[in-house]
Amino acid sequence: THAMKLKPVTSKKQIRLDDRDARVHGNTREGDELEQASQKEVERISELQRVFYADARFAMLIVLQGRDASGKDGTIRKVFGAVNPQGCTVSSFKVPTELERHHDFLWRVHQQIPPRGMIGIFNRSHYEDILVPRVHKLVPKKIWNARYEQINDFERMLSANGVVILKFLLHISRDEQKRRLEDRLTDKQKNWKFRVGDLDDRRQWNDFTKAYRGILENTSTKWAPWYVVPADDKHVRDWLVARTIADCMEGLGLAYPKPDPTVAGIEIE
Ligand code: ATP
């Protein structure tokens, strides 16, 4: 089914970010079937990661953005659940520390860019440096607006240096966020995740939508495309993200390095 493959953001329609865009319409697959399909993609990633590491020509950067409870943690757990832990790093970007605030906004980000052979996963990212200041009106427009170009330049430089970049916006509807936040309030295992501040962000739903639209409009590039993931259904989400990553890795033409010629014919006693 054609609608079940993510396409990089290039058109206005993908930038809409309405509630209806949080679901795949006409999806007839059942949860079980999706979970199996997802598992297949997850195993593909795991296999591809072995040759990705050995090949060592590329690094891979996966950026995950999304509102509170959009499933960033769950996506990481599922999609990278089968990958060799030695082959990937996860970086979570929190409110900048005192030290970080005294540097340019990409300083802390650049340090977390994976080296060749590695997959780096960003749980939030440099895009917070547009979102938060814009929505919370922390700096003048001139400052956050200039960051689109700064980020595009930064990502272009990374890409030219072997970093393959994929950016995913996990898009949930307002109702689904409500359900998930309520869950956090009532479920003892999720309670610790509840932050009162999340409710403030929820009240500014439309401001965040606008800010995300700005990001999609200005920073989905050939070298670092954005994908909007319909994320109300977790199985659909995992499947779509995993598949996009696996397809991208497969397209790189990865190969194991040729053995050292002196190795040929060695006999081990
Ligand atoms: P998540 O919701 O991603 O699971 P969390 O709620 O467990 O994360 P927090 O300790 O709340 O993690 O840190 C995330 C918070 O840090 C978010 O509110 C995010 O907007 C904020 N943040 C991240 N980067 C920046 C930034 N560059 N500028 C301002 N705020 C930022």
Side-chain angles (χ1 to χ4, degrees):
T1 49
H2 67 282
M4 296 301 274
K5 202 163 179 171
L6 294 178
K7 292 203 194 81
V9 169
T10 52
S11 80
K12 277 267 184 304
K13 191 174 157 238
Q14 292 160 294
I15 293 170
R16 200 168 55 186
L17 298 181
D18 283 355
D19 275 2
R20 70 192 135 150
D21 300 323
R23 298 202 154 267
V24 172
H25 298 278
N27 169 35
T28 53
R29 296 198 179 209
E30 301 285 335
D32 281 358
E33 205 184 331
L34 278 169
E35 239 181 307
Q36 275 175 22
S38 209
Q39 196 48 39
K40 246 179 65 188
E41 300 303 324
V42 165
E43 278 156 26
R44 253 178 97 206
I45 294 175
S46 160
E47 282 303 309
L48 284 159
Q49 183 274 332
R50 296 163 67 122
V51 56
F52 185 86
Y53 183 85
D55 180 294
R57 277 178 298 158
F58 307 103
M60 181 163 238
L61 175 63
I62 307 293
V63 170
L64 290 172
Q65 282 289 159
R67 298 175 199 264
D68 298 306
S70 61
K72 298 182 290 292
D73 293 328
T75 304
I76 295 170
R77 194 169 57 238
K78 286 283 180 189
V79 172
F80 297 98
V83 168
N84 180 351
Q86 289 202 86
C88 64
T89 56
V90 182
S91 312
S92 295
F93 293 94
K94 309 285 184 187
V95 177
T97 63
E98 179 79 14
L99 174 66
E100 287 166 350
R101 273 193 290 110
H102 282 80
H103 286 272
D104 69 272
F105 76 102
L106 291 170
W107 179 73
R108 67 171 183 169
V109 177
H110 203 159
Q111 296 177 61
Q112 302 299 324
I113 299 296
R116 289 178 216 273
M118 297 285 288
I119 301 174
I121 304 153
F122 279 11
N123 183 346
R124 302 183 188 270
S125 66
H126 38 301
Y127 289 97
E128 294 289 324
D129 292 285
I130 295 178
L131 284 170
V132 179
R134 176 172 178 177
V135 172
H136 294 161
K137 302 190 166 60
L138 303 179
V139 298
K141 174 171 182 183
K142 201 176 75 187
I143 303 281
W144 59 255
N145 198 50
R147 291 184 176 167
Y148 295 133
E149 260 335 282
Q150 291 161 7
I151 287 176
N152 285 342
D153 289 344
F154 173 63
E155 291 177 346
R156 190 198 287 108
M157 180 280 292
L158 293 176
S159 159
N161 284 275
V163 185
V164 178
I165 306 170
L166 298 175
K167 303 181 293 201
F168 296 97
L169 173 56
L170 305 184
H171 175 53
I172 55 169
S173 64
R174 211 175 139 75
D175 281 352
E176 182 62 23
Q177 190 195 47
K178 180 162 191 263
R179 270 192 290 278
R180 291 185 190 180
L181 291 178
E182 280 169 353
D183 232 33
R184 285 186 182 179
L185 278 179
T186 50
D187 186 332
K188 281 204 182 68
Q189 291 185 3
K190 295 180 182 167
N191 215 250
W192 65 276
K193 272 200 168 193
F194 191 88
R195 282 187 326 127
V196 178
D198 291 352
L199 297 183
D200 296 332
D201 286 355
R202 180 170 166 78
R203 271 181 222 112
Q204 304 203 67
W205 185 273
N206 293 335
D207 295 329
F208 273 103
T209 304
K210 254 194 233 159
Y212 272 118
R213 282 196 195 120
I215 284 170
L216 295 177
E217 237 174 274
N218 291 288
T219 63
S220 190
T221 55
K222 280 200 295 291
W223 57 90
W226 272 109
Y227 295 88
V228 176
V229 184
D232 269 10
D233 182 315
K234 295 177 184 180
H235 298 308
V236 170
R237 172 198 78 200
D238 295 339
W239 182 41
L240 291 174
V241 172
R243 192 173 174 200
T244 307
I245 294 171
D247 286 352
C248 172
M249 290 178 90
E250 204 169 80
L252 293 174
L254 301 170
Y256 287 100
K258 288 209 175 54
D260 182 332
T262 59
V263 165
I266 287 185
E267 268 181 51
I268 298 173
E269 285 171 33

